[in-house]
Amino acid sequence: MNVFRRMLLIALIGFVSTPLVSHARTQGTTTIVAGNARFEFLTPSLLRMEYAPSGHFVDVPTAVVQKRDWSPVSAESAKENGWLVVRTRSVTLRYRLNSGPFKADNLEVSWANPNGAPHTWHPGQVDAHNLGGLAYSLDHVSGSNLTQDDTQSPVNDIIPGIDIPLLPAKPGLLSRSGYAFIDDSQTPLRDEKMAWITPRPKPYGQDWYLFTYNRQYQRVLQAYAQLCGGVPMIPRYVLGNWITDFNFEYFPDTADAHTPAFERYNQQYLEDELTRLRENHIPFDTLVLDFAWHNYGWQGGYDWSPLISHPAQFLQWLHQRGIKLSLNDHPGYAGTQESILSHDDSHAAQVLRDLQQPLPPKPAFDLDVSTGWKFMPDAHDQGINQHWFAASYDDHAWQPIRTGQSWNRQGYPDYQGIGWYRTSVSLPEQLPNALYLYLGEVGQTYRLFVNGKEVEHSHVQWPRRLTYADIKPYVHAGQANAMALRVVPGEQGGGIFRGLVAIRDVAPPPRIAFDLSDKQQADVFMRDLHGPLMQAGVSSWWVDGGGGATAMPGLDPQFWTNKVFYDFSQHFTGQRAFILGRYGDWGSERYPGFFTGDTYSQWPVLAYEVAFTARGGNVLVPYISHDIGGFHGAKIDFDLYARWIEFGAFSPILRMHGAHANPHEGNVRMPWLYGDKGIALMRKYFTLRTQLIPYIYTYAWQAHTLSLPLLRPLYLQYPQSEEAYHHSHEYFFGDEMLVAPVLDASGIRTVYLPDGQWIDFFNGKHYDGGRSFTAHYDVDQTPVFVREGSIIPEQEPSDYSDAKALDTLIVNVYGSGSGQFDLYEDDGVSLDDAKGSYALTRMSYDSKADGLHVLTMAAVKGAYKGQPLQRAYEVRIHALGKPQSVSLNGKAVTDWRWDGKDATAVVVVPRQDIRIETTVTWR
């Protein structure tokens, strides 16, 4: 201990009214303890502040915060008039000694502001200048609940079905106020012995982190990645195009399941649909199957539905065509008692044994009562007063009706009033000790009467279907028993829709559900139910509605659900994982990607998604996936369809999806619904997206290594520019490209271009930056601009992202000026990049004062499995005018070509060893 700290401790000990203050370096971190308060300077500008009522501080990682061992920070501490004052070269902290938990009047942190008065922070301070974070999802978002300020969360947004309001987004990491705050006080702790988490002891106390900065936005993203974990490398195929289908439920042995519409929408239908895309030269990588791949719909099933009649054959068919398969799963919908696994599923017995839970008893008495029902509309709600439920009531005028379908599909298509069901059930002379009436889904609410008496029955919240009632006290042995239901319909109609209608002597077994914060349950859930499917060839999981899958206090359920799926996928395959889950707050960047939920297909929603995606980087979430085309909306206007696809081509994940009422409507996001123009538009942008993958994948590597998002708000690139904060519907796509999607049917777009010279990516038109302009864009055009001097690599057109080895690289160079691009390559799937198995190719461009332009592709550095050893280049020079001469490695080239329409010269460099440098020059 140095002299200064020894003297400080002696001085503080002399004041009996103040707690002991110690200044030490614990685990390489500068730490100051004052009684029950502890302050750790992780960096000169990143501060951890703890208050522990028990006096025991947390030194282990938490579920969110991973890094505990930080380099020492030089800090000076002193006692000034009853305050602890600690200074680093960046911040000053003041805490009033012996004052208890942190509050606005006993704790202050300040730091320098080069442009004015010092920044100051107190507990509870509201940051009015935060640049926005992310909400859990955008479920049910429409123009009606969006505000004029697209940095704000939607208002009064309720997730339908579960009636849970969506909370506003928390502040992000980036703020014009120069700070970011994270509260980790309740997050569970890491138990190294269990290699799992355990709840924090109560009372929790306070465990806070304060990032301080001015406009060094990139620095705070990197510090956050150190603290909470960075963005992993994703599989390369993820950046290709995704197609979603099977967006409906399949329940075996229901009337719907045996209709021609269901029977035709099957494995062969999918194969034909995907073949049609290939035949139209529309590239795509991944097929996502929504809920109809499950055999038991929302009730829970991991058996394939009969619609996929030969799963192994289907997976092989996909594999042969380079198509990845992703499956939708519901590990527990927030706020519901959703059954995760049907007891009729083939996996159920093994799962219950592994969970050490008893198998449900089999019924000894099982009477099918699904037939013989009659129906009568009750438009004036007179059935109760007229005793339609009475055992003696004469129902001869009532009409026969089937269970398994709503009354609306059985001759009453427009009737929305109250309806009554009646039947008579004969029971044997000898009855078991218990009798339960099982009723599958009844839409929407009902009252049950047996022999004229009302019977209480179970009530379940969507999406569970099965209700039941104990009817033993109300029935008569050896006689006919009258049963009646008074049904109030819902949005989907009324009646006994689907599911079991029977009388049994055992109650329905309890639902099978999983608490994924329990290590054993998480292991069983993934190993027994998901392992076999991944072994068969499933590549990724769409973790839909996982917000209810954990029960540990202080743990964000979605965050941990994402982690369980992600970690299992990576450990099981030994390769990089990818999931689509909703946002789970801090730490979510470790488990990409983020599915935004069920929005409405409207222009305001498209505009909101553009701003929302760009600010995803504010919490270091680079891989955001929207339903391209919107969810709630069948076939939409072609203009809106086209603009959504155009945005998707320049977004992190391009995934088509929509809430088509399959199988009756078919997939309403397929291009042929719009004829030749739809096919041409999707072909154009899906092909472009696939060609741009070398460029995009390099920025995926930057997200991993530099903690920079793929989509970047203008203020991330130009933090000192006031103008950069006023264009939330524009963004940088990597460093070189600026995208401003068209957001209304007029096709007119006003675009702001930052300082410098810019070139239209599609037509080569030049623009001066530092100003805005307005232009009209045809429905198949979208505003994308490239900095002059930029280099943008592409690959050749192909059916999917990895269909061809990258042994031919298209190198686009724009205008004059200078630029540099370090192309990143690896095998696209393995974890070997962490061991150094990757390659970098530096490409540099310079324009000389004498009019000479020099493009150099340096020798490739590094190696990886499957790396091409030779490479050809197709250099595309996007110039103001036709070059006078072109040379390759100092020798004149005569067979280059000029396209005057696009103002592009094309120079082909023959295939050669990748370790040889190549230079192309022109005047």
Side-chain angles (χ1 to χ4, degrees):
M1 182 178 294
N2 63 31
V3 175
F4 171 80
R5 280 183 286 173
R6 186 181 298 114
M7 292 177 64
L8 175 61
L9 285 173
I10 293 171
L12 289 171
I13 292 171
F15 291 90
V16 294
S17 61
T18 60
L20 176 68
V21 176
S22 64
H23 181 186
R25 288 176 178 172
T26 303
Q27 297 180 348
T29 302
T30 303
T31 304
I32 296 92
V33 177
N36 289 348
R38 182 170 76 167
F39 304 98
E40 295 179 86
F41 289 89
L42 310 183
T43 73
S45 58
L46 171 56
L47 174 62
R48 183 186 186 192
M49 301 168 286
E50 286 179 279
Y51 186 84
S54 64
H56 298 290
F57 300 107
V58 170
D59 292 315
V60 298
T62 70
V64 169
V65 172
Q66 294 191 320
K67 183 177 174 64
R68 289 301 186 210
D69 187 11
W70 295 76
S71 299
V73 173
S74 178
E76 296 181 355
S77 60
K79 175 181 171 294
E80 298 177 2
N81 300 320
W83 289 75
L84 170 67
V85 181
V86 187
R87 294 180 175 88
T88 71
R89 60 182 170 84
S90 299
V91 302
T92 298
L93 175 141
R94 291 170 51 83
Y95 171 65
R96 183 155 48 85
L97 294 166
N98 205 28
S99 62
F102 306 141
K103 299 172 294 191
D105 63 356
N106 72 355
L107 179 64
E108 174 186 282
V109 180
S110 60
W111 61 101
N113 178 6
N115 301 316
H119 293 289
T120 302
W121 174 87
H122 297 91
Q125 184 169 311
V126 176
D127 182 7
H129 303 291
N130 193 274
L131 295 168
L134 295 182
Y136 163 76
S137 77
L138 298 182
D139 281 286
H140 222 51
V141 165
S142 68
S144 63
N145 53 22
L146 293 174
T147 67
Q148 293 295 317
D149 183 356
D150 54 32
T151 66
Q152 299 299 310
S153 298
V155 297
N156 301 322
D157 190 15
I158 307 294
I159 302 178
I162 58 178
D163 298 329
I164 291 180
L166 281 172
L167 298 176
K170 293 180 180 178
L173 293 166
L174 308 187
S175 172
R176 302 184 77 176
S177 300
Y179 72 87
F181 174 77
I182 292 178
D183 185 349
D184 198 43
S185 303
Q186 300 183 33
T187 307
L189 306 179
R190 173 81 176 175
D191 186 323
E192 294 299 336
K193 185 179 295 185
M194 291 178 55
W196 202 248
I197 50 171
T198 185
R200 283 193 189 236
K202 292 184 179 180
Y204 296 120
Q206 295 163 309
D207 194 352
W208 296 350
Y209 296 84
L210 184 69
F211 302 79
T212 63
Y213 53 91
N214 290 300
R215 296 292 171 88
Q216 300 109 330
Y217 295 151
Q218 295 186 15
R219 189 180 76 184
V220 72
L221 292 175
Q222 291 158 1
Y224 167 74
Q226 280 188 281
L227 180 70
C228 296
V231 180
M233 273 303 286
I234 61 172
R236 190 176 189 270
Y237 77 83
V238 165
L239 298 173
N241 308 309
W242 300 50
I243 299 292
T244 310
D245 214 318
F246 263 37
N247 182 41
F248 55 101
E249 296 177 78
Y250 185 91
F251 289 94
D253 302 321
T254 62
D256 279 344
H258 299 293
T259 61
F262 265 87
E263 291 176 347
R264 77 174 180 88
Y265 213 98
N266 55 17
Q267 177 177 331
Q268 187 60 54
Y269 186 98
L270 285 174
E271 292 177 5
D272 292 345
E273 191 173 58
L274 300 181
T275 299
R276 189 173 181 183
L277 287 169
R278 286 279 193 258
E279 291 173 346
N280 280 283
H281 304 291
I282 297 173
F284 68 97
D285 278 71
T286 300
L287 170 68
V288 189
L289 292 185
D290 208 332
F291 225 73
W293 79 268
H294 294 272
N295 194 27
Y296 298 95
W298 291 90
Q299 301 280 22
Y302 291 84
D303 294 325
W304 290 91
S305 78
L307 301 178
I308 305 294
S309 53
H310 300 93
Q313 174 188 312
F314 182 58
L315 283 158
Q316 183 181 18
W317 187 92
L318 294 173
H319 178 74
Q320 290 170 346
R321 288 155 181 79
I323 303 170
K324 307 294 185 182
L325 181 63
S326 180
L327 296 180
N328 176 288
D329 191 24
H330 272 251
Y333 216 115
T336 75
Q337 293 296 303
E338 180 182 358
S339 182
I340 309 306
L341 181 65
S342 169
H343 285 84
D344 294 324
D345 190 272
S346 66
H347 305 82
Q350 183 64 49
V351 165
L352 289 173
R353 283 193 291 269
D354 290 345
L355 292 175
Q356 300 177 344
Q357 296 179 11
L359 298 175
K362 295 184 179 297
F365 182 89
D366 191 354
L367 179 64
D368 182 352
V369 292
S370 61
T371 60
W373 292 86
K374 294 182 176 181
F375 175 74
M376 177 63 72
D378 188 7
H380 303 292
D381 195 13
Q382 57 189 2
I384 293 292
N385 291 334
Q386 296 182 7
H387 296 87
W388 290 9
F389 54 84
S392 60
Y393 182 78
D394 183 2
D395 60 10
H396 74 277
W398 290 34
Q399 297 299 311
I401 195 167
R402 299 187 309 275
T403 61
Q405 283 186 330
S406 68
W407 67 59
N408 308 86
R409 296 176 63 181
Q410 299 185 69
Y412 304 88
D414 301 320
Y415 182 62
Q416 297 296 321
I418 292 169
W420 282 78
Y421 279 66
R422 280 182 59 93
T423 192
S424 179
V425 178
S426 295
L427 295 175
E429 293 284 351
Q430 297 295 322
L431 293 179
N433 293 330
L435 281 181
Y436 298 94
L437 173 64
Y438 288 45
L439 285 172
E441 180 183 4
V442 181
Q444 175 169 347
T445 61
Y446 71 97
R447 294 170 66 180
L448 171 66
F449 301 86
V450 176
N451 291 324
K453 295 182 179 179
E454 186 161 9
V455 179
E456 286 297 318
H457 59 82
S458 65
H459 295 269
V460 297
Q461 188 181 12
W462 177 91
R464 295 199 74 194
R465 274 15 195 263
L466 181 65
T467 58
Y468 70 98
D470 178 0
I471 61 171
K472 182 65 185 294
Y474 305 93
V475 298
H476 306 305
Q479 299 180 26
N481 292 266
M483 297 184 182
L485 273 70
R486 176 186 179 273
V487 182
V488 179
E491 292 182 2
Q492 305 302 318
I496 305 174
F497 281 176
R498 59 170 70 91
L500 187 64
V501 184
I503 298 175
R504 293 179 171 178
D505 61 339
V506 294
R511 72 186 184 112
I512 303 176
F514 299 85
D515 176 2
L516 299 185
S517 65
D518 180 286
K519 191 174 190 297
Q520 180 201 12
Q521 294 189 41
D523 287 345
V524 171
F525 179 63
M526 298 306 301
R527 183 185 67 245
D528 288 3
L529 300 180
H530 299 81
L533 289 160
M534 298 197 75
Q535 183 70 40
V538 173
S539 297
S540 63
W541 292 98
W542 173 10
V543 187
D544 194 4
T550 69
M552 186 175 289
L555 182 65
D556 185 293
Q558 184 70 56
F559 166 77
W560 196 256
T561 301
N562 292 347
K563 173 184 168 60
V564 168
F565 272 83
Y566 184 92
D567 284 355
F568 176 83
S569 298
Q570 188 151 292
H571 294 155
F572 187 84
T573 64
Q575 297 183 334
R576 298 174 200 165
F578 190 82
I579 62 170
L580 286 176
R582 286 174 169 83
Y583 179 57
D585 210 345
W586 301 118
S588 291
E589 70 283 349
R590 305 198 304 252
Y591 314 112
F594 171 29
F595 155 64
T596 56
D598 302 342
T599 63
Y600 280 84
S601 301
Q602 299 171 354
W603 287 105
V605 174
L606 170 58
Y608 188 79
E609 286 184 358
V610 171
F612 185 90
T613 311
R615 74 169 179 268
N618 294 4
V619 290
L620 200 55
V621 173
Y623 301 111
I624 294 177
S625 174
H626 302 289
D627 293 346
I628 298 300
F631 182 78
H632 294 295
K635 180 182 176 182
I636 58 179
D637 291 342
F638 180 66
D639 282 1
L640 180 57
Y641 179 77
R643 300 308 187 188
W644 229 308
I645 289 177
E646 290 160 10
F647 164 58
F650 294 94
S651 64
I653 307 293
L654 172 49
R655 181 182 55 84
M656 305 297 297
H657 188 44
H660 36 283
N662 268 338
H664 306 288
E665 289 181 335
N667 191 334
V668 294
R669 294 294 174 257
M670 286 301 179
W672 36 81
L673 270 68
Y674 302 93
D676 290 344
K677 65 180 180 181
I679 294 171
L681 182 126
M682 183 177 278
R683 181 189 301 124
K684 174 181 178 178
Y685 285 98
F686 275 41
T687 300
L688 173 61
R689 172 71 181 203
T690 304
Q691 286 195 254
L692 281 171
I693 285 179
Y695 174 83
I696 303 171
Y697 194 55
T698 295
Y699 282 103
W701 179 64
Q702 286 200 15
H704 172 54
T705 56
L706 302 179
S707 302
L708 292 174
L710 171 60
L711 266 66
R712 303 172 180 184
L714 269 59
Y715 50 75
L716 186 58
Q717 303 290 82
Y718 295 93
Q720 303 302 332
S721 168
E722 181 62 31
E723 192 73 29
Y725 295 89
H726 300 291
H727 300 280
S728 58
H729 296 112
E730 299 180 18
Y731 54 87
F732 283 95
F733 193 61
D735 272 336
E736 286 78 11
M737 306 175 76
L738 185 144
V739 182
V742 175
L743 301 176
D744 63 63
S746 72
I748 297 173
R749 186 66 157 95
T750 298
V751 180
Y752 169 75
L753 295 175
D755 289 340
Q757 299 298 309
W758 297 86
I759 300 173
D760 187 296
F761 176 74
F762 291 100
N763 62 26
K765 184 176 179 179
H766 285 241
Y767 293 86
D768 294 327
R771 65 182 184 88
S772 297
F773 71 92
T774 301
H776 178 270
Y777 291 85
D778 291 340
V779 71
D780 65 341
Q781 299 174 328
T782 192
V784 179
F785 305 89
V786 181
R787 297 177 190 272
E788 189 168 40
S790 291
I791 300 170
I792 295 182
E794 297 179 8
Q795 63 189 30
E796 295 181 298
S798 57
D799 285 342
Y800 56 96
S801 62
D802 294 321
K804 299 180 181 180
L806 202 58
D807 55 8
T808 297
L809 189 69
I810 300 169
V811 180
N812 295 274
V813 60
Y814 291 85
S816 297
S818 60
Q820 181 177 298
F821 192 90
D822 291 327
L823 175 71
Y824 175 84
E825 301 171 81
D826 60 22
D827 63 24
V829 292
S830 80
L831 302 172
D832 291 345
D833 61 292
K835 304 173 186 176
S837 294
Y838 60 86
L840 293 172
T841 305
R842 170 154 294 186
M843 294 176 281
S844 57
Y845 172 53
D846 193 23
S847 299
K848 309 294 184 181
D850 62 359
L852 180 68
H853 302 267
V854 181
L855 173 66
T856 301
M857 281 76 73
V860 176
K861 295 182 178 180
Y864 58 90
K865 184 179 179 180
Q867 181 181 27
L869 301 180
Q870 292 188 320
R871 172 170 290 157
Y873 292 99
E874 182 179 299
V875 177
R876 297 179 181 176
I877 303 166
H878 302 269
L880 280 171
K882 182 178 180 179
Q884 298 175 6
S885 62
V886 177
S887 296
L888 172 60
N889 295 328
K891 296 182 180 180
V893 176
T894 59
D895 59 349
W896 59 278
R897 65 182 187 271
W898 171 253
D899 185 340
K901 180 182 177 182
D902 294 331
T904 303
V906 179
V907 182
V908 175
V909 179
R911 186 168 282 110
Q912 62 183 29
D913 192 298
I914 62 172
R915 308 297 176 184
I916 297 176
E917 181 176 284
T918 300
T919 301
V920 178
T921 60
W922 64 94
R923 291 185 184 273

